[in-house]
């Protein structure tokens, strides 16, 4: 199973359209995951023309996005349990908020955003994955998104582009 992972697109504020590098990957996706800060539902409509879309809302998303997506959720893909959350909040690092959002849930992977910083690391046996942003790289040298390949294992990679 191929999953394309996005976050922090902030469209149309940060970009009027999706970048070509991302669009190259979308037709072969089995699922698209967006970890929040969409800004408008137009992007959701565009993405779901390629594949089913799962996601959560972020701190810049209004009631229109909140009516479509929850604050957090757990999905299953190929027998793997995946937590989705944006990661915004106060008084802790984004990573700590993300891990604490799911409490004692046993998850194989947590996908999050908020920082715009690509990240792939483990906390105990749970993979943490932030795809970065395809439209607002902030302190990163490149724009980025993620591709997950799930079969008996989860393989995660960042796709970086300028």
């Amino acid at each position: 199973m191929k999953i394309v992972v996005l976050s922090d697109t902030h469209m149309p504020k940060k970009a009027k359209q999706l970048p070509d590098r991302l669009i190259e990957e979308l037709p072969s996706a089995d699922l698209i995951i967006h970890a929040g800060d969409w800004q408008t539902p137009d992007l959701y409509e565009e993405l779901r023309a390629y594949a089913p879309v799962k996601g959560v809302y972020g701190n810049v998303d209004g009631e229109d996005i909140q009516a479509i997506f929850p604050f957090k959720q757990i999905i299953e893909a190929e027998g793997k349990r995946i937590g989705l959350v944006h990661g915004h909040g106060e008084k802790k690092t984004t990573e700590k908020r993300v891990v604490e959002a799911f409490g004692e849930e046993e998850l194989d992977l947590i996908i999050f955003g908020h920082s715009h910083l690509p990240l792939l690391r483990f906390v105990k046996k749970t993979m943490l994955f932030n795809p970065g942003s395809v439209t607002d790289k902030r302190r990163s040298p490149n724009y980025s998104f993620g591709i997950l390949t799930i079969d008996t294992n989860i393989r995660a990679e960042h796709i970086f582009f300028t």
Side-chain angles (χ1 to χ4, degrees):
M1 171 178 239
K2 177 181 177 178
I3 303 173
V4 173
V5 183
L6 309 171
S7 189
D8 299 286
T9 46
H10 296 273
M11 290 178 67
K13 184 177 179 183
K14 294 294 181 181
K16 302 295 183 225
Q17 62 188 35
L18 293 171
D20 292 340
R21 181 62 188 94
L22 173 64
I23 290 172
E24 289 173 23
E25 296 294 338
L26 292 174
S28 60
D30 297 304
L31 178 66
I32 300 166
I33 292 176
H34 194 296
D37 281 2
W38 306 70
Q39 202 160 336
T40 70
D42 296 339
L43 177 59
Y44 168 61
E45 295 300 329
E46 182 177 352
L47 291 174
R48 71 185 204 159
Y50 292 99
V53 177
K54 298 287 186 180
V56 291
Y57 69 81
N59 54 298
V60 303
D61 295 321
E63 292 178 5
D64 51 355
I65 294 292
Q66 293 177 31
I68 302 169
F69 297 105
F71 173 76
K72 70 177 183 178
Q73 67 172 310
I74 297 172
I75 65 170
E76 288 207 18
E78 300 295 312
K80 303 297 183 188
R81 289 176 43 87
I82 302 170
L84 311 177
V85 67
H86 184 61
H88 59 289
E90 296 180 9
K91 298 186 180 183
K92 293 183 180 171
T93 67
T94 301
E95 284 183 52
K96 285 183 180 178
R97 286 191 298 268
V98 163
V99 171
E100 289 178 5
F102 294 99
E104 298 300 314
E105 289 281 351
E106 289 191 27
L107 300 173
D108 298 292
L109 168 65
I110 298 174
I111 295 171
F112 67 102
H114 188 59
S115 69
H116 297 224
L117 299 173
L119 179 126
L120 172 58
R121 74 179 204 90
F122 283 84
V123 171
K124 298 181 183 172
K125 293 182 178 182
T126 302
M127 180 187 292
L128 300 182
F129 189 75
N130 184 329
S133 175
V134 295
T135 57
D136 187 10
K137 60 185 179 176
R138 290 192 181 165
R139 299 181 305 266
S140 295
N142 298 295
Y143 299 99
S144 63
F145 63 97
I147 295 180
L148 302 175
T149 305
I150 302 177
D151 43 41
T152 55
N153 296 305
I154 300 173
R155 290 183 305 285
E157 67 177 309
H158 287 100
I159 306 298
F160 296 101
F161 61 98
T162 55

